[in-house]
Amino acid sequence: MMTNVWEAVVLLLLPFLAPNAEGTQYSPPGKPALTRCRSPEKETFTCWWEPGSDGGLSTTYALYYRKENSETVYECPDYHTAGENSCFFNKNDTSIWVNYNITVVATNALGSSFSDPVDIDVVYIVKPNPPEELNVTIMEDKGWPYLRVSWKPPQKADTRSGWITLIYELRVKLEGEDDWEMHLAGQQKMFNIFSLRSGGSYHVQVRCKPDHGFWSEWSSADYIKVPDYFHREKSMWILITVFSTFIFLIFMCFLHMNSNSLKYYILPPIPGPKIKGFDKQLLKNGKSDEIFCALVVPDFPPTTSSKCENLMVEYLEVYVSEEQELILEESKELHNSLKCEGSTSDNDSGRGSCDSHTLLMDKCGEAKGDERQTDGEGHPMEMEAQMHQRDWKEGTLSSAYQDIVSPDMSSGRVKTWPSVFSPLHQCGSTSLNQMNSLAMAKQHCLSDNLSPPGSASSFLPQSGRSTTETHRPNYCEFYSSDKQLSSPKPQAQTHRKLQAHSDINISHKQAGLQSPALRPTEYVEVQRVNKEDMVLLQPVESGCVCGDGCPQVCQDYSKVKGLNSDNMLLLHRDVMEGEEVRSHCEKQETNGCITSHITPATQKPTDCIPTVTPIVQKEMGLAVSGYVDTAAMLTLPTH
Amino acid sequence: MMSGNFRSASVGWVVLVCLVPYRTLTSTDAAPICTNAQAGCHVLSLANLFDRVIQHSARMHGISNDLHSEFEQYFLPSKNQIGRVGRNCHTSTILTPNGKENAQRMAREELTEVILKLLVAWRDPLWHFHQNMAHHQHGFTTFSSDKALEMSDMVHELRKGVEKVAEKMQLLGMMSDSVSSQASSEALLPPDSAEWRLMKEYDLLYCFRRDSNKVQNYLKILQCRIVPEHGC
């Protein structure tokens, strides 16, 4: 009994206890899935599905579809044409522009399962076959080869009737490489490929696509080998290289031969300083005196013809100390040498605008007056005067202005030199301020030409220089106002007088004067007296170097004959004539024009006679020999 | 004798003078016919006309495709809705060939008429669609609204173009005059065409996308049938 029960239990449990190794769990089939549907020519189409698990039993698949707006369910007409797990719809079953609702059903003994439905419209699932009859040939275009690729549309796609419109694409690559070169060919069935590598082997493929659809697969490749045209290229490059090398060599030779001139053309030499008389050799030699003498320019400053009449001729007494005498002699020698050699420097170089002879002449109108530099440097002044004689219209005047640095500057001998430059007070009312401003404005002109005084202690040089500076504008301005003046000739006298006058004035103002050592050390020589009672002064020179037109050179010193009641210095000549020269006070004629009286100690440069007289009178006392001692005058206040 | 000759001559002149204005009058009644050689008249060949019309239809279909894709992105209608029964394009009453053979079997006149019918049927719905988009936005960008407007315009232009092509074909004797002229194109509208108002925007776009594809395809078939040397 018991065994029977146990047997029955075992029997009952056997199916459950038995291992599942060889037995399968039968189940309904798994859910299939439609993978894709494709139409090659928009006339038929095929759908493929993926089966699910079959549940251990034989499973059958069925495809059902339903057309748009219709409840009729159709089954797939053809399961075999397209292969396994596919359904082929032939032309009769295919409708374009109609929505298909397709479902796949898997069925086995235990059940069935439906796939998810899929909606398709045939128009949008077209994937054509690849193009056919791909043909690649080599063509030549003016000696350069190119590939001509041609093909035909897939046979099934009907493009001739316009049912399908295909666009094509091809790709090219060299054998052995990995990168393809893509070309879109549009609707044409032929394409040209240029830029080929000579001797290369190319692979060409083509594919197509309808307007709205999928790209076809790539067609089978066509291979082509491009013939060698490398030698032609190479020979051309060789020719080009040789030619260019040849040209390059010629160019280098040309450069080498013309290197100097090219260098000057490209990098022109910087012009050196153009200071007239500036001599590098002298610099190297180290004799400063010589250098400064060399800078003496004979024809500067241009003579001013003063239109002021009634100029009194002024004589400046020049005091020369011993040492300065030596220097003076040296400088004279230099000047002599210079004179003989002639000026080698540029007339315009190194001068400021107001120093320029031409500029001054332009600015101040016609050259006027004859001017003599009282403190001559010797020959240069004379030379200058002579040179100017030619220039001037009247021809009777000679001007001797120097813009050179006096060699005496260094020794502090300057005074006379500044007086040379200190020209003229303006004709017309001049205020001190104006002068100063002008001085400031033109200071640079002067500084270029002046060398700083050697000794700062010597006030006079400074004052002289400052006077020069201040006077210089006056000088210029004087010229500008020249037009107002009637006669040119007296201007010179005026100028001369003014010059000395202003000299003295300013120097006195500055209260600089005092040291006797600062006395001017040069003699002034009256060259001659012209008809209009003008005294032509010229610097004294030991030697008798005389340029053209200087008849009375080296001869006479001017002697002050006396002072008349009109505060005029009467000079007379020892040698030639015993004329008396009268200098006139210009002041009466022109307003504000400085008289020719020498007024070393006047407060205002425009002051005329009154200030002059006493000084002159005093000077008269000193000038026993008839010479006017400017230094004495300058130092007057200290007495 | 002299007077008789003179009279006959004058009569001849008068007749001539009278005839000339008559001829000009008669000629001005009809629309000017431009031949290729006539100066001052820009003549478009039939092939040229077809090219233009087909390009136009291709562009129209492209825009409709874009709009439809946008709609799908925004609203993501479930797949089931697409194929649901009952969705009906308002142009489904127009009989259109659904296959190549059917289309090729159709006569030129028939095919042209089908094209025109389709284009006419879509004029109003597209206009209203654009209006809806402009006013309600519905999450559309202005870009979409511009496309809708362009689409609406294109339908109108394309219809005119196809009519011109038909005219030309009739002129050249390629087609009989049975194709309706511009005046009677309104008669092509189906009588109960108001059901498009019930369509939702997505369905409208779906339907129009399909119909524009049909128009493009039919025109291409016509072209390859009539002027085959041009890209067929």
Side-chain angles (χ1 to χ4, degrees):
Chain A
M1 293 266 281
M2 283 296 283
T3 53
N4 289 340
V5 169
W6 276 115
E7 283 176 0
V9 168
V10 167
L11 280 170
L12 278 170
L13 292 174
L14 191 62
F16 298 102
L17 294 177
N20 288 333
E22 50 183 34
T24 54
Q25 185 75 16
Y26 298 132
S27 65
K31 193 173 173 181
L34 276 164
T35 52
R36 63 190 178 105
C37 297
R38 290 290 180 263
S39 167
E41 75 287 83
K42 211 159 85 173
E43 295 168 42
T44 67
F45 71 102
T46 313
C47 281
W48 291 268
W49 66 84
E50 185 72 30
S53 63
D54 60 354
L57 301 166
S58 67
T59 313
T60 57
Y61 296 93
L63 187 143
Y64 300 99
Y65 66 91
R66 206 178 63 215
K67 283 193 176 181
E68 179 180 323
N69 300 329
S70 165
E71 290 294 337
T72 317
V73 179
Y74 302 92
E75 194 178 345
C76 172
D78 188 340
Y79 286 103
H80 306 291
T81 311
E84 193 77 22
N85 296 329
S86 71
C87 177
F88 175 75
F89 294 81
N90 61 11
K91 281 186 188 179
N92 297 332
D93 299 324
T94 309
S95 305
I96 316 299
W97 298 299
V98 170
N99 218 347
Y100 281 77
N101 191 302
I102 299 172
T103 315
V104 174
V105 180
T107 313
N108 67 1
L110 290 176
S112 60
S113 69
F114 291 78
S115 69
D116 290 330
V118 164
D119 284 297
I120 56 154
D121 193 332
V122 179
V123 174
Y124 301 112
I125 57 163
V126 180
K127 180 178 175 179
N129 294 329
E132 296 167 4
E133 293 183 38
L134 180 61
N135 191 14
V136 184
T137 54
I138 293 179
M139 316 279 286
E140 271 205 8
D141 172 37
K142 295 170 190 171
W144 298 100
Y146 65 93
L147 291 179
R148 167 159 291 185
V149 188
S150 64
W151 58 87
K152 287 216 168 53
Q155 247 179 355
K156 285 192 188 172
D158 187 1
T159 52
R160 290 192 67 84
S161 66
W163 181 240
I164 294 183
T165 308
L166 293 173
I167 57 172
Y168 303 94
E169 189 183 36
L170 52 81
R171 65 179 186 181
V172 184
K173 85 168 168 125
L174 273 171
E175 193 171 348
E177 287 189 13
D178 295 331
D179 294 331
W180 289 92
E181 187 181 319
M182 312 293 280
H183 298 279
L184 194 67
Q187 290 184 29
Q188 60 199 31
K189 300 179 191 61
M190 185 259 298
F191 198 77
N192 295 329
I193 297 173
F194 298 92
S195 301
L196 301 173
R197 189 182 300 182
S198 72
S201 181
Y202 286 94
H203 297 190
V204 182
Q205 283 183 318
V206 67
R207 66 175 182 179
C208 57
K209 176 177 100 81
D211 339 5
H212 313 278
F214 301 95
W215 280 106
S216 70
E217 297 296 329
W218 286 105
S219 69
S220 58
D222 196 9
Y223 302 90
I224 192 121
K225 189 174 189 312
V226 180
D228 286 328
Y229 61 95
F230 179 69
H231 59 276
R232 247 188 349 206
E233 276 183 346
K234 192 179 182 182
S235 65
M236 187 182 70
W237 281 114
I238 288 170
L239 199 66
I240 288 170
T241 308
V242 166
F243 189 63
S244 57
T245 311
F246 185 62
I247 288 176
F248 180 70
L249 284 172
I250 290 173
F251 184 65
M252 291 309 293
C253 287
F254 172 75
L255 268 183
H256 180 69
M257 287 195 296
N258 294 346
S259 59
N260 283 339
S261 59
L262 279 177
K263 207 194 324 179
Y264 283 125
Y265 182 71
I266 294 168
L267 301 170
I270 300 165
K274 274 191 176 178
I275 301 169
K276 195 168 182 177
F278 193 77
D279 193 351
K280 282 183 187 174
Q281 291 303 320
L282 289 179
L283 267 181
K284 288 175 187 173
N285 293 339
K287 291 190 178 177
S288 58
D289 298 337
E290 293 173 0
I291 296 161
F292 298 137
C293 292
L295 291 174
V296 172
V297 175
D299 52 348
F300 184 82
T303 55
T304 64
S305 58
S306 156
K307 285 185 180 170
C308 302
E309 299 178 1
N310 303 325
L311 287 174
M312 269 184 65
V313 176
E314 297 180 310
Y315 287 92
L316 294 178
E317 186 172 303
V318 178
Y319 175 77
V320 181
S321 65
E322 288 184 358
E323 56 184 64
Q324 287 165 348
E325 260 181 348
L326 292 170
I327 297 165
L328 178 59
E329 287 174 2
E330 286 176 5
S331 69
K332 284 178 188 173
E333 288 168 1
L334 267 176
H335 292 313
N336 290 342
S337 62
L338 252 186
K339 191 177 176 183
C340 296
E341 289 164 5
S343 171
T344 55
S345 60
D346 179 15
N347 280 336
D348 272 340
S349 63
R351 301 188 196 176
S353 60
C354 35
D355 298 341
S356 164
H357 167 62
T358 50
L359 185 63
L360 274 171
M361 298 301 281
D362 292 339
K363 192 177 175 182
C364 305
E366 51 182 299
K368 338 189 153 160
D370 31 321
E371 186 57 38
R372 274 284 156 238
Q373 290 177 344
T374 52
D375 56 331
E377 294 288 339
H379 289 288
M381 292 181 67
E382 187 181 10
M383 181 174 66
E384 220 178 323
Q386 291 162 0
M387 284 168 63
H388 280 285
Q389 273 182 342
R390 284 188 290 260
D391 298 335
W392 292 5
K393 298 175 186 177
E394 287 87 10
T396 55
L397 308 176
S398 59
S399 65
Y401 279 104
Q402 297 176 353
D403 61 342
I404 50 173
V405 177
S406 163
D408 301 330
M409 289 295 260
S410 56
S411 60
R413 197 185 59 162
V414 162
K415 346 322 146 205
T416 55
W417 175 71
S419 65
V420 173
F421 291 92
S422 60
L424 340 174
H425 305 281
Q426 298 172 357
C427 291
S429 60
T430 56
S431 64
L432 204 56
N433 293 331
Q434 288 179 359
M435 281 168 55
N436 286 335
S437 62
L438 287 165
M440 294 299 291
K442 299 186 183 181
Q443 195 165 0
H444 67 281
C445 302
L446 302 173
S447 58
D448 288 342
N449 299 320
L450 309 180
S451 65
S455 58
S457 61
S458 66
F459 182 87
L460 201 51
Q462 285 179 352
S463 64
R465 190 174 98 175
S466 59
T467 56
T468 306
E469 291 173 343
T470 52
H471 283 302
R472 191 174 284 276
N474 295 336
Y475 171 70
C476 297
E477 288 168 1
F478 181 82
Y479 270 156
S480 61
S481 61
D482 275 350
K483 294 170 188 174
Q484 305 170 8
L485 306 174
S486 53
S487 160
K489 289 174 186 176
Q491 281 177 357
Q493 296 175 352
T494 309
H495 174 88
R496 190 67 203 88
K497 296 182 233 170
L498 293 171
Q499 176 180 358
H501 176 81
S502 57
D503 259 350
I504 297 159
N505 289 339
I506 290 172
S507 59
H508 173 68
K509 219 183 339 182
Q510 313 226 343
L513 353 148
Q514 289 57 3
S515 64
L518 303 177
R519 294 176 188 174
T521 55
E522 296 232 347
Y523 291 103
V524 176
E525 181 182 86
V526 176
Q527 190 182 16
R528 61 187 174 93
V529 179
N530 64 3
K531 294 178 186 176
E532 276 98 351
D533 293 335
M534 285 198 292
V535 175
L536 306 176
L537 303 174
Q538 74 181 43
V540 173
E541 56 210 350
S542 57
C544 294
V545 183
C546 197
D548 311 334
C550 177
Q552 295 98 356
V553 148
C554 317
Q555 296 196 4
D556 285 327
Y557 296 104
S558 61
K559 275 194 176 177
V560 176
K561 191 177 180 185
L563 187 69
N564 63 2
S565 58
D566 289 340
N567 298 324
M568 288 191 278
L569 284 171
L570 306 175
L571 307 172
H572 72 278
R573 273 215 136 124
D574 286 340
V575 176
M576 297 294 292
E577 307 147 356
E579 292 178 15
E580 289 187 3
V581 176
R582 289 191 162 221
S583 55
H584 307 281
C585 183
E586 186 188 357
K587 188 174 184 181
Q588 290 116 19
E589 293 192 359
T590 61
N591 186 25
C593 186
I594 297 170
T595 61
S596 55
H597 295 292
I598 298 168
T599 58
T602 51
Q603 298 291 333
K604 300 173 188 177
T606 52
D607 280 359
C608 201
I609 300 168
T611 52
V612 175
T613 311
I615 297 166
V616 172
Q617 283 173 348
K618 287 181 189 174
E619 289 300 323
M620 289 308 295
L622 293 171
V624 174
S625 61
Y627 295 110
V628 178
D629 188 354
T630 54
M633 291 191 295
L634 288 169
T635 57
L636 196 62
T638 58
H639 293 308
Chain B
M1 290 228 326
M2 281 283 287
S3 63
N5 285 340
F6 180 73
R7 197 173 292 170
S8 62
S10 64
V11 164
W13 276 112
V14 166
V15 167
L16 200 65
V17 165
C18 289
L19 278 176
V20 165
Y22 176 69
R23 276 195 188 146
T24 53
L25 278 172
T26 51
S27 62
T28 49
D29 277 345
I33 297 171
C34 291
T35 60
N36 282 334
Q38 207 163 357
C41 184
H42 186 51
V43 181
L44 282 175
S45 65
L46 190 60
N48 210 325
L49 276 173
F50 261 115
D51 268 343
R52 292 179 179 212
V53 156
I54 284 168
Q55 280 178 28
H56 215 137
S57 68
R59 172 137 179 85
M60 190 176 73
H61 177 70
I63 295 173
S64 71
N65 207 6
D66 294 341
L67 266 178
H68 179 261
S69 306
E70 255 181 69
F71 244 95
E72 267 190 326
Q73 277 180 4
Y74 279 120
F75 298 98
L76 297 169
S78 66
K79 288 285 183 179
N80 291 332
Q81 284 181 3
I82 298 175
R84 71 180 183 280
V85 180
R87 195 260 303 276
N88 212 349
C89 292
H90 73 288
T91 51
S92 55
T93 53
I94 303 172
L95 288 171
T96 57
N98 286 339
K100 186 177 91 169
E101 286 76 15
N102 293 346
Q104 282 177 333
R105 248 181 261 138
M106 257 188 153
R108 301 171 187 182
E109 294 84 355
E110 278 182 73
L111 207 50
T112 313
E113 198 155 332
V114 162
I115 295 166
L116 284 170
K117 274 186 190 173
L118 284 170
L119 291 171
V120 166
W122 276 105
R123 188 190 63 190
D124 288 335
L126 283 177
W127 170 251
H128 281 90
F129 173 72
H130 161 67
Q131 292 293 314
N132 286 341
M133 281 193 74
H135 293 146
H136 300 132
Q137 290 302 316
H138 284 290
F140 288 111
T141 62
T142 45
F143 185 57
S144 306
S145 174
D146 291 341
K147 275 189 181 167
L149 179 63
E150 197 178 349
M151 224 160 55
S152 167
D153 288 340
M154 277 190 151
V155 161
H156 187 63
E157 294 296 322
L158 190 59
R159 197 193 87 189
K160 280 202 230 169
V162 173
E163 281 167 358
K164 283 241 172 358
V165 169
E167 261 180 47
K168 185 87 177 176
M169 283 201 292
Q170 287 166 7
L171 207 63
L172 295 174
M174 296 176 171
M175 216 159 67
S176 67
D177 289 339
S178 63
V179 178
S180 57
S181 63
Q182 184 176 0
S184 63
S185 60
E186 298 300 320
L188 297 172
L189 277 173
D192 55 345
S193 61
E195 56 187 65
W196 57 263
R197 295 179 195 275
L198 303 172
M199 285 172 66
K200 291 185 183 173
E201 281 154 356
Y202 179 76
D203 296 339
L204 192 140
L205 282 175
Y206 180 87
C207 290
F208 180 66
R209 181 172 78 141
R210 181 171 31 191
D211 284 344
S212 59
N213 198 339
K214 278 186 188 177
V215 164
Q216 186 184 359
N217 213 338
Y218 297 155
L219 283 170
K220 189 78 180 176
I221 290 168
L222 268 179
Q223 184 198 36
C224 288
R225 202 191 293 182
I226 293 168
V227 279
E229 63 275 359
H230 213 77
C232 288

